[in-house]
Amino acid sequence: MNEKLLEVKDLVIHYFTDDEEACAVNGISFDLKEQEVVGFVGETGAGKTTTALGIMGLVPAPPGKVLNGEIIFEGKDIVKLSEAELRKIRGDKITMIFQDPMTSLNPVLTVGEQIAEVILLHNKISRKEAIERAKEMLEMVGIPGERHEEYPHQFSGGMKQRVVIAIALACSPALLIADEPTTALDVTIQAQVLALMKRLKTDLKTSMIMITHDLGVVAEICDKVAIIYAGEIVEFGTLAEIFEDHRHPYTEGLFNSIPDLDVDVARLPVIKGLMPAPTNLPDGCKFYPRCPYATERCKNENPDRVTITDTHIVRCHLFRSAESIKET
Amino acid sequence: MLKYIIKRLLWMIPIMLGVIIIVFSLMYITPGDTATILLGDSATPQSVAALNKKLGLDQPYVVQLFNYIKGIVLHVSLGTSYRTKQPVLNEILARFPNTLKLAALAIVLATIIGIVTGIISAVKQYKAADRIATGVALFGVSMPPFWLGLLLILVFSVQLNWLPSAGVATWKNWILPTITLGTAVAGIIMRMTRSSMLDVIRQDYIRTARAKGQREFVVIMKHEFRNALIPIVTIIGVQFGTLMAGAVLCENIFSISGIGKFLVDSINNKDYPCVMGTVLFVAALCTIINLIVDILYTFIDPRIKSVYKIRKRGADNG
Amino acid sequence: MDSSKRHKARNNSIWADTARRIRKNKMAMLSLTILIILIICAVFAKWIAPYQYDAQNLKEAFAYPNWKHLLGTDNLGRDIFSRIIYGGRISLSVGLIAVGIAVVIGGGLGAIAAFYTKADNIIMRFMDVFMAIPSLLMAMAITTALGSGTRNMMIAIGISSMPQYARVMRASVLTVKEQEFVEAAKSIGCSNKMMIIRHILPNAFAPLLVQATLGVGNAILSASTLSFLGLGIQPPTPEWGSLLSTGRIYIRQYWPMTFFPGLAIMLVVYALNILGDGLRDALDPKLKN
């Protein structure tokens, strides 16, 4: 029943400045099936947002440039599409929720106009009908429809994010990319927005890419998880595989740094060191300088993808096909 | 909103009072005895004393100042010209239409050119078009307006004989003065438009608009420009003073009978009531323009309007 | 001791960074070179100018540019090139001194307004009154009152442009005052005076410097405007605006008298504007693009 909706193959995106080249995305590959939610987990600067912008065809150029790879969406390669063809997809079939709701809305337009704008762009209906639809969308995300004539500054942060979600869902997209939709919000508001997204996911059957660095959010909403480090997917699997049976040392480090209420420890184990700057990546495995299991081979040779199960892929020299050295 | 406008209008009173005091004091300390100037060679000590008494110039500074302010408030009078013996205000109003026409033509030209080139420049940042436009705009800002005026006369009146260089007889007369006056202001507006557009281009809501699949031109005009307009309107308001100063020059270069030429002629003729009156008139004009600009804001920026609403609500509740 | 040393190092590095960044800006460096050349010409006019500025030679009046007279001669046969070099002396010094007056008075008042809340209202309302009169008109009124002449023109332009410096200084001191390193200095027991001199003023000065650089250009423009209108420096003193004003009479017959002095004004103002822009970008790279 589940068709492949999106297929990203070996995507490479770099940013070029006057004297530096920032390697933001270095060969990311993954599939997304219909009605599936994939979580992108990683530190700030790991290349999650750049990958998302690549899928939207919105990598700012210059300085950004897609150097390699394919992004097959509904049989078409987004990388090769013209700007006009991309515009038809953007906002209609693929939409995006950005990180900071406080700055994502245009301050001089009413929220109704901003929702109606995207509806008018992709549907052949009158302005009046578009405003009606905008009001319905507001109701759907839990804002009274009559508030459509108000301006963004009259809404709170959580309400603004609801408006942003309404814009993203206005044309019933096939794929919704949510870039840290809850990070900028208060904890209680976070829970509300997350609950809303969960409800919309089941109601509208939209596929989703959920970018976050919060494993709690992932556990709540995602079917599959991609752990991203320095522009590469270091581990990819189902929710259960990543949470119960993660293999990559980085993933292990991530889970170890979550406090466990049942075990009282004086100090949480942390991953030593910092993620390397994208302008100065190490040869070999990108995680090697911080990896507790690093060997000479990791220093010189970047590991290939290793298939553990049909759905579980890891990028590390410690593993060979279905066997794990750690376990033996 | 109305409350705000009234408050701002009331605030004009102390400002204008201050302007009157400054200008009056400057004219008061100006060297040279007015009566002697007016009477010329035929002056005798008796006639000078008599004229001083008639003009009220024998009275102390404070009394003279008070009389001047009284004249403005009670009789809407800025005094009488020494030279023509006509009320100063009449002299000014007779010449004002020409100044207004020149200023309006120049500001329209400057705004159109400044905003269009500013937008292009910001959108094509660091490309050839941007570098040329910013370079030319800086020339506009740096060029002495009187020099530009003279060069235009040199080329279009003297050499090519296409356009007249003086007077206001036909529409052709207005072309060179408008270009002269508009150039500097266009440069300023262009630079402001560019920098404020660049500010907006980086905002997240522009990315939101692109993510909707909006066309780039619409993104620029509907989302970027409307937000960038706020500082641009400010600069147009603030530059009104520059515009009036430029008008003084232009009118003198192109022999246009406006208040700028009147001001310089009055200074040269030592006709101090006219000098005072003209400076006051222009200052009042600038203050009113700035008030209008502040009111215009509320139409461009909904955030400001609601600040008043909240204040009003607060006032109603309290 | 140690902490003050470290602060100094920090301040130095701000200016060092600025210097490094502005050296990269080719246009700004070109402008700086042009300005330095012009200043040298003005200072050493006696040796650089080929003729005395008032040396008349009626036989050679209205000569077009040639090898003997690089920019031609005026109505009295005086060498235009020499007159522009001598004129630069006056125009540049009027610009610099007028801005100096404006910076000292305006910057001082602005700083006082920012530090003493009680004085703030009075000073800034006074500035509001001042700003209601367009600065060129204000300068015209002041020269009318004081009479023409170089010194009076400096005062007139200085005073009429003072409010903008007061505003910039006040805003920038208020911003710096709110910053955390000032809080930190307070918390380690810095005295008020020490804090103002050591920490606030050096950091608040940058925007004023940018404003002043752009302001010298404007002051030169205002000065030449006043002279052009016959309200500033009178002939035969060779100020650029008054050279233009004389040239205007002969515009129909002879263009070099109008063209070259104007070109000199534009060159200086253009260079100052580029330098000012470059300085602003270099001091605060965030503002750029």
Side-chain angles (χ1 to χ4, degrees), chain A residues 6-61:
Chain A
L6 178 77
E7 199 178 351
V8 176
K9 283 186 208 158
D10 211 23
L11 186 65
V12 178
I13 303 173
H14 291 185
Y15 292 102
F16 296 88
T17 57
D18 287 346
D19 32 36
E20 281 178 329
E21 180 176 353
C23 311
V25 175
N26 305 303
I28 278 185
S29 305
F30 68 94
D31 295 343
L32 180 67
K33 298 203 174 75
E34 276 173 13
Q35 298 188 34
E36 202 171 56
V37 179
V38 171
F40 276 17
V41 181
E43 291 166 58
T44 311
K48 298 168 296 193
T49 304
T50 304
T51 309
L53 290 175
I55 297 168
M56 292 290 289
L58 274 180
V59 176

Coordinates of all heavy atoms in Angstrom, one line a residue, chain A residues 6-61:
Chain A
L6 N 9.1 10.0 -1.8 CA 10.3 10.8 -2.0 C 11.6 9.9 -1.9 O 11.6 9.0 -1.0 CB 10.4 11.9 -0.9 CG 11.6 12.8 -0.9 CD1 11.5 13.9 -2.0 CD2 11.8 13.5 0.5
E7 N 12.5 10.1 -2.8 CA 13.7 9.4 -2.8 C 14.9 10.3 -2.9 O 15.0 11.0 -4.0 CB 13.6 8.3 -3.9 CG 14.6 7.2 -3.7 CD 14.4 6.2 -4.9 OE1 13.5 6.3 -5.7 OE2 15.3 5.3 -5.0
V8 N 15.7 10.4 -1.9 CA 16.8 11.3 -2.0 C 18.1 10.4 -2.2 O 18.3 9.4 -1.4 CB 17.0 12.1 -0.7 CG1 18.3 13.0 -0.7 CG2 15.8 13.0 -0.5
K9 N 18.9 10.7 -3.2 CA 20.0 9.9 -3.5 C 21.3 10.7 -3.5 O 21.5 11.6 -4.3 CB 19.9 9.2 -4.9 CG 18.9 8.1 -4.9 CD 19.0 7.4 -6.3 CE 17.6 6.8 -6.6 NZ 17.4 6.6 -8.1
D10 N 22.2 10.4 -2.5 CA 23.5 10.9 -2.5 C 23.6 12.5 -2.7 O 24.3 13.0 -3.5 CB 24.4 10.3 -3.6 CG 25.8 10.2 -3.2 OD1 26.1 10.3 -2.0 OD2 26.7 10.1 -4.1
L11 N 22.8 13.2 -1.9 CA 22.6 14.6 -2.0 C 23.9 15.3 -1.4 O 24.3 15.0 -0.3 CB 21.4 15.1 -1.3 CG 21.0 16.5 -1.5 CD1 20.7 16.9 -2.9 CD2 19.9 16.9 -0.6
V12 N 24.5 16.2 -2.2 CA 25.6 17.0 -1.7 C 25.3 18.5 -1.9 O 25.1 18.9 -3.0 CB 26.9 16.6 -2.5 CG1 28.1 17.4 -1.9 CG2 27.2 15.1 -2.3
I13 N 25.3 19.2 -0.8 CA 25.1 20.7 -0.9 C 26.2 21.4 -0.2 O 26.4 21.1 1.0 CB 23.8 21.1 -0.4 CG1 22.6 20.4 -1.1 CG2 23.6 22.6 -0.5 CD1 21.3 20.6 -0.5
H14 N 26.9 22.3 -0.8 CA 28.0 23.0 -0.2 C 27.7 24.5 -0.3 O 27.0 25.0 -1.2 CB 29.3 22.8 -0.8 CG 29.9 21.4 -0.5 ND1 31.1 21.0 -0.9 CD2 29.3 20.3 0.1 CE1 31.3 19.7 -0.5 NE2 30.2 19.3 0.1
Y15 N 28.2 25.3 0.7 CA 28.1 26.8 0.6 C 29.4 27.3 0.3 O 30.4 26.9 0.9 CB 27.6 27.3 1.9 CG 26.2 27.0 2.2 CD1 25.8 26.0 3.2 CD2 25.1 27.7 1.6 CE1 24.5 25.7 3.4 CE2 23.8 27.3 1.9 CZ 23.5 26.4 2.8 OH 22.2 26.1 3.1
F16 N 29.5 28.3 -0.7 CA 30.8 28.9 -1.0 C 30.8 30.3 -0.6 O 29.9 31.1 -1.0 CB 31.0 28.8 -2.6 CG 31.1 27.3 -3.0 CD1 29.9 26.6 -3.4 CD2 32.3 26.7 -3.1 CE1 30.0 25.3 -3.8 CE2 32.4 25.4 -3.6 CZ 31.2 24.7 -3.9
T17 N 31.8 30.7 0.2 CA 32.0 32.1 0.6 C 33.3 32.5 0.0 O 33.9 31.7 -0.7 CB 32.0 32.3 2.1 OG1 33.0 31.5 2.6 CG2 30.7 31.9 2.7
D18 N 33.7 33.7 0.2 CA 34.9 34.3 -0.4 C 36.1 33.4 -0.4 O 36.7 33.1 -1.4 CB 35.3 35.6 0.3 CG 34.3 36.7 -0.1 OD1 33.5 36.5 -1.1 OD2 34.3 37.8 0.5
D19 N 36.4 32.8 0.8 CA 37.6 32.1 0.9 C 37.4 30.7 1.5 O 38.3 30.0 1.8 CB 38.7 32.8 1.7 CG 38.0 33.7 2.8 OD1 37.0 33.3 3.4 OD2 38.6 34.8 3.0
E20 N 36.1 30.3 1.7 CA 35.9 29.0 2.3 C 34.8 28.2 1.6 O 33.9 28.8 1.0 CB 35.5 29.2 3.8 CG 36.7 29.5 4.7 CD 36.2 29.7 6.1 OE1 35.1 30.2 6.4 OE2 37.0 29.3 7.0
E21 N 34.8 26.9 1.8 CA 33.7 26.1 1.3 C 33.2 25.3 2.5 O 33.9 24.6 3.1 CB 34.3 25.1 0.3 CG 33.3 24.2 -0.3 CD 33.9 23.3 -1.4 OE1 35.1 23.6 -1.8 OE2 33.2 22.4 -1.9
A22 N 31.9 25.5 2.8 CA 31.2 24.9 3.9 C 30.5 23.6 3.4 O 29.6 23.8 2.6 CB 30.3 25.8 4.6
C23 N 30.9 22.5 3.8 CA 30.3 21.2 3.3 C 29.1 20.9 4.2 O 29.3 20.2 5.2 CB 31.3 20.1 3.3 SG 32.9 20.6 2.5
A24 N 28.0 21.4 3.9 CA 26.8 21.3 4.8 C 26.2 19.9 4.6 O 25.8 19.3 5.6 CB 25.8 22.4 4.4
V25 N 26.0 19.5 3.4 CA 25.4 18.2 3.2 C 26.3 17.3 2.3 O 26.7 17.7 1.3 CB 24.0 18.3 2.5 CG1 23.4 16.9 2.2 CG2 23.0 19.1 3.4
N26 N 26.7 16.1 2.8 CA 27.7 15.3 2.2 C 27.3 13.9 1.8 O 27.7 13.0 2.4 CB 29.0 15.3 3.1 CG 29.4 16.6 3.5 OD1 29.7 17.5 2.6 ND2 29.5 16.9 4.8
G27 N 26.3 13.8 0.9 CA 25.9 12.5 0.5 C 24.8 11.9 1.3 O 25.0 10.8 1.9
I28 N 23.7 12.6 1.4 CA 22.6 12.1 2.2 C 21.6 11.3 1.2 O 21.3 11.7 0.1 CB 21.8 13.2 2.9 CG1 22.6 13.5 4.2 CG2 20.4 12.8 3.2 CD1 21.9 14.6 5.1
S29 N 21.2 10.1 1.7 CA 20.3 9.3 0.9 C 19.3 8.7 1.8 O 19.6 8.3 2.9 CB 21.0 8.1 0.2 OG 22.1 8.5 -0.6
F30 N 18.0 8.8 1.4 CA 16.9 8.1 2.2 C 15.7 8.1 1.4 O 15.5 8.8 0.4 CB 16.7 8.8 3.5 CG 16.1 10.2 3.4 CD1 14.7 10.3 3.5 CD2 16.8 11.3 3.2 CE1 14.1 11.6 3.4 CE2 16.3 12.5 3.1 CZ 14.9 12.7 3.2
D31 N 14.8 7.2 1.8 CA 13.4 7.1 1.1 C 12.4 7.5 2.1 O 12.5 7.4 3.3 CB 13.1 5.7 0.7 CG 14.1 5.1 -0.3 OD1 14.8 6.0 -0.9 OD2 14.2 3.9 -0.4
L32 N 11.3 8.0 1.5 CA 10.1 8.3 2.4 C 8.9 7.8 1.7 O 8.7 8.0 0.5 CB 10.0 9.9 2.5 CG 8.9 10.4 3.4 CD1 9.1 10.0 4.9 CD2 8.8 11.9 3.3
K33 N 8.1 7.0 2.4 CA 6.9 6.4 1.8 C 5.7 7.3 2.2 O 5.8 8.1 3.1 CB 6.7 5.0 2.4 CG 7.9 4.0 2.0 CD 7.4 2.6 2.1 CE 8.5 1.7 1.6 NZ 9.6 1.5 2.6
E34 N 4.6 7.0 1.5 CA 3.4 7.8 1.7 C 3.0 7.6 3.2 O 3.0 6.5 3.7 CB 2.3 7.4 0.7 CG 2.5 8.2 -0.6 CD 1.5 7.7 -1.6 OE1 0.6 6.9 -1.3 OE2 1.7 8.1 -2.8
Q35 N 2.5 8.7 3.7 CA 1.9 8.7 5.1 C 3.0 8.3 6.2 O 2.6 8.0 7.3 CB 0.8 7.7 5.2 CG -0.4 8.1 4.3 CD -1.6 7.2 4.6 OE1 -1.8 6.8 5.7 NE2 -2.4 7.0 3.5
E36 N 4.2 8.4 5.8 CA 5.3 8.1 6.8 C 5.8 9.4 7.4 O 5.9 10.4 6.7 CB 6.4 7.3 6.0 CG 7.2 6.5 6.9 CD 8.1 5.6 6.0 OE1 8.8 6.2 5.2 OE2 8.1 4.4 6.1
V37 N 6.3 9.3 8.6 CA 7.0 10.4 9.2 C 8.4 10.0 9.6 O 8.6 9.1 10.3 CB 6.2 10.9 10.5 CG1 7.0 12.1 11.1 CG2 4.8 11.2 10.2
V38 N 9.3 10.8 9.0 CA 10.7 10.5 9.3 C 11.3 11.7 10.1 O 11.0 12.8 9.9 CB 11.6 10.5 7.9 CG1 13.0 10.5 8.3 CG2 11.2 9.3 7.1
G39 N 12.0 11.3 11.2 CA 12.6 12.3 12.0 C 14.0 12.5 11.6 O 14.8 11.6 11.4
F40 N 14.5 13.8 11.5 CA 15.9 14.1 11.3 C 16.4 14.6 12.6 O 16.0 15.6 13.1 CB 16.0 15.2 10.2 CG 16.0 14.8 8.8 CD1 15.5 13.6 8.4 CD2 16.5 15.7 7.8 CE1 15.5 13.2 7.1 CE2 16.4 15.3 6.5 CZ 15.9 14.1 6.1
V41 N 17.4 13.8 13.2 CA 17.9 14.2 14.5 C 19.4 14.5 14.3 O 20.1 13.8 13.6 CB 17.7 13.1 15.5 CG1 18.2 13.5 16.9 CG2 16.3 12.7 15.6
G42 N 19.8 15.6 14.9 CA 21.2 16.0 14.9 C 21.4 17.3 15.5 O 20.5 18.0 15.9
E43 N 22.7 17.6 15.7 CA 23.0 18.9 16.4 C 22.8 20.1 15.4 O 22.7 19.9 14.2 CB 24.5 18.9 16.8 CG 24.8 17.9 17.9 CD 26.3 17.7 18.0 OE1 27.1 18.7 18.3 OE2 26.8 16.5 17.9
T44 N 22.9 21.3 16.0 CA 22.8 22.5 15.1 C 24.0 22.5 14.2 O 25.1 22.2 14.6 CB 22.9 23.7 16.0 OG1 22.0 23.6 17.1 CG2 22.6 25.0 15.3
G45 N 23.7 22.7 12.9 CA 24.8 22.8 11.9 C 25.1 21.5 11.3 O 26.1 21.3 10.6
A46 N 24.3 20.4 11.6 CA 24.6 19.1 11.0 C 24.1 19.0 9.6 O 24.4 18.0 8.9 CB 23.9 18.0 11.9
G47 N 23.3 20.0 9.1 CA 22.9 19.9 7.7 C 21.5 19.5 7.5 O 21.0 19.3 6.4
K48 N 20.7 19.5 8.7 CA 19.3 19.1 8.6 C 18.5 20.1 7.8 O 17.7 19.7 6.8 CB 18.7 19.0 10.0 CG 19.3 17.9 10.9 CD 18.9 18.1 12.3 CE 19.4 19.5 12.8 NZ 19.3 19.7 14.2
T49 N 18.6 21.3 8.1 CA 17.8 22.4 7.5 C 18.2 22.5 6.0 O 17.4 22.7 5.1 CB 18.0 23.7 8.2 OG1 17.6 23.5 9.5 CG2 17.1 24.8 7.6
T50 N 19.5 22.4 5.7 CA 20.0 22.5 4.3 C 19.4 21.4 3.5 O 19.0 21.6 2.3 CB 21.5 22.5 4.3 OG1 22.0 23.5 5.1 CG2 22.0 22.7 2.9
T51 N 19.3 20.2 4.0 CA 18.7 19.1 3.3 C 17.3 19.4 3.0 O 16.8 19.3 1.9 CB 18.8 17.8 4.1 OG1 20.1 17.6 4.6 CG2 18.3 16.6 3.4
A52 N 16.6 20.0 4.0 CA 15.2 20.3 3.8 C 15.0 21.4 2.8 O 14.1 21.3 1.9 CB 14.6 20.8 5.2
L53 N 15.9 22.4 2.8 CA 15.8 23.5 1.8 C 16.1 22.9 0.4 O 15.5 23.3 -0.6 CB 16.8 24.6 2.1 CG 16.4 25.4 3.3 CD1 17.5 26.4 3.6 CD2 15.1 26.2 3.1
G54 N 17.0 21.9 0.3 CA 17.3 21.2 -0.9 C 16.0 20.6 -1.5 O 15.7 20.7 -2.7
I55 N 15.2 19.9 -0.6 CA 14.0 19.3 -1.1 C 13.0 20.3 -1.5 O 12.3 20.1 -2.5 CB 13.5 18.4 0.1 CG1 14.5 17.3 0.4 CG2 12.1 17.8 -0.3 CD1 14.1 16.5 1.7
M56 N 13.0 21.5 -0.9 CA 12.1 22.5 -1.3 C 12.6 23.3 -2.6 O 11.9 24.1 -3.1 CB 12.0 23.6 -0.2 CG 11.3 23.2 1.0 SD 9.5 22.9 0.8 CE 8.9 24.6 0.6
G57 N 13.8 23.0 -3.0 CA 14.4 23.7 -4.1 C 14.7 25.2 -3.7 O 14.6 26.1 -4.5
L58 N 15.0 25.4 -2.4 CA 15.1 26.7 -1.8 C 16.5 27.0 -1.3 O 16.7 27.9 -0.5 CB 14.1 27.0 -0.7 CG 12.7 27.4 -1.2 CD1 11.8 27.6 0.1 CD2 12.8 28.7 -1.9
V59 N 17.5 26.2 -1.6 CA 18.8 26.5 -1.1 C 19.3 27.8 -1.6 O 19.2 28.1 -2.8 CB 19.8 25.4 -1.6 CG1 21.3 25.8 -1.2 CG2 19.5 24.0 -1.1
P60 N 19.6 28.8 -0.8 CA 19.9 30.1 -1.2 C 21.2 30.1 -2.1 O 22.3 29.7 -1.6 CB 20.2 30.9 0.1 CG 20.4 29.9 1.1 CD 19.7 28.6 0.7
A61 N 21.0 30.5 -3.3 CA 22.2 30.5 -4.3 C 22.4 31.8 -4.9 O 21.5 32.3 -5.5 CB 21.9 29.4 -5.4

